[in-house]
Amino acid sequence: MSVGLDYLLNPRSVAIIGATAREGSVGGVITRNLLTKFRGRIYLVNPSYNELLGHRVYRSVLEIPDEVDLAVIVTPAPTVPKVMSECVAKGVRVAVIISGGFSEVGEDGTRLEREVKEVAQGRVRILGPNCIGIYNAFNGLDTFFIPQVRMERPRPGPIALISQSGAVAAAILDWAARRSIGVGLAVNYGNKLDISEVELLGALASNENVRVIVIYIEGLKYADEGRKLLEVMRQVTRIKPIVVYKAGRSKSSSRAVKSHTAALAGNYEIYRAMLRQAGAIEVNNLMDALEVAKALATQPLPRGNRVLVITDSGGAGVQAVDNVETVGLVVPELPQDLRNTLAKSLPPFASTANPIDLTGSATDAMYKFVLDTVLPTDHIDMVLILAQMQLPGMTPKLADYIIEVRRFGKPIVVYGISANEEARTFKARLEEGGVPTYDRLETAANALRALYEYAVIRGLARPH
């Protein structure tokens, strides 16, 4: 990781330039966020105050007596060049410019942006401008300026998010928090005057807390960025998976991209080919990106594309097969000798071909028997379990059985739409035990597809 990015993600000290206690303001939210959560040293800077929220306030970053690793700038755009010159003089390592009013608003803003970069002289690395910055659940660094009551923060976890859009990043983190998906790091880079997704990818590749990187990208700012992004993605995907949602696919949305962050959306088919060459896994929306990442972060990679489907509903089993095979995986019929073994201990009306339908008489013990019998064989590579907790024979204890069979080293995902208390307990136990759960069959199938796709990328499975 470059020195600048190390101080961006893991600073020892942070100066908030434009700190305020004003309720509802950007600076006010950031000030409170950092004072209450950040585990390093905090310095407040604002020439209009001597004290805020019980803390001393400095007139300038130059007055701070200690070293400053990271400056968070929340002042009007025209003041940023002067603030940046003071950061340079102070020896600040990296700055997050939250302020908008730069290249995204036109030529005047572009000139101002160039001025900030010239002042920084490469001595201060810059994230932004026009961004919401950093969320690090591990050290409490949180510059996302949306109050907690309007945007829940996700728990620490193995997923990292890089987003070109701040609002999109905030919305998806709130969504993840409400579904207890662990997102430990999130970065919004805005206009990427300096630090871009290319460098951020490299930094996250070496971060031991991160197992999967999710990227929301609208467009690249310069012509040679595509080549650089391809190169770094190829390197990173040898280490850990990258899941990408590329927005701005149509002509109309491409225009919207340019007005949003002054980026060039470009031809989507070119992006798609680039992502394929890089070994990145592409999805069609950000919710699927995080759901897929959840499986990639917790499950072993399969050796092939054969899926075992176990269900307590024949109709749901049929839908599961449709979804699984639509994404390019297969649901093979089990051999007769294995079916005979299953039939000896299952009710006579159960189907044993695959999908294995235990019907409405399903019990925890039946699921356990099927898993213990089929998973050790070489007939399947992955498992999709459909389990509805409304049935009288089903209990949350099934989660313990499913977690136990992780010992066979095959990926498992679980689908269920029940919303009763037992179903919530069942899903919570599975998630805590490292087994992802889904409430849409399409998403569960996409998670399995991503596992297989990444296994092919890593050379652990053959393409079919």
Side-chain angles (χ1 to χ4, degrees), residues 249-264:
R249 300 180 180 188
S250 68
K251 289 182 179 179
S252 297
S253 62
S254 295
R255 292 196 303 271
V257 166
K258 187 173 182 180
S259 66
H260 181 205
T261 55
L264 303 173

Side-chain angles (χ1 to χ4, degrees), residues 178-228:
R178 295 175 192 279
R179 284 156 182 79
S180 198
I181 298 175
V183 181
L185 281 162
V187 186
N188 162 236
Y189 52 85
N191 294 6
K192 52 183 172 182
L193 175 61
D194 176 16
I195 297 169
S196 72
E197 62 273 84
V198 173
E199 271 193 280
L200 291 167
L201 269 173
L204 294 172
S206 60
N207 190 302
E208 61 183 16
N209 291 321
V210 176
R211 293 184 203 157
V212 184
I213 303 168
V214 173
I215 304 179
Y216 169 77
I217 184 171
E218 294 175 353
L220 300 175
K221 201 167 183 180
Y222 306 108
D224 66 338
E225 277 190 312
R227 176 185 54 80
K228 292 178 181 177

Side-chain angles (χ1 to χ4, degrees), residues 348-365:
F349 41 81
S351 172
T352 58
N354 193 19
I356 295 176
D357 179 12
L358 302 175
T359 74
S361 298
T363 64
D364 298 349

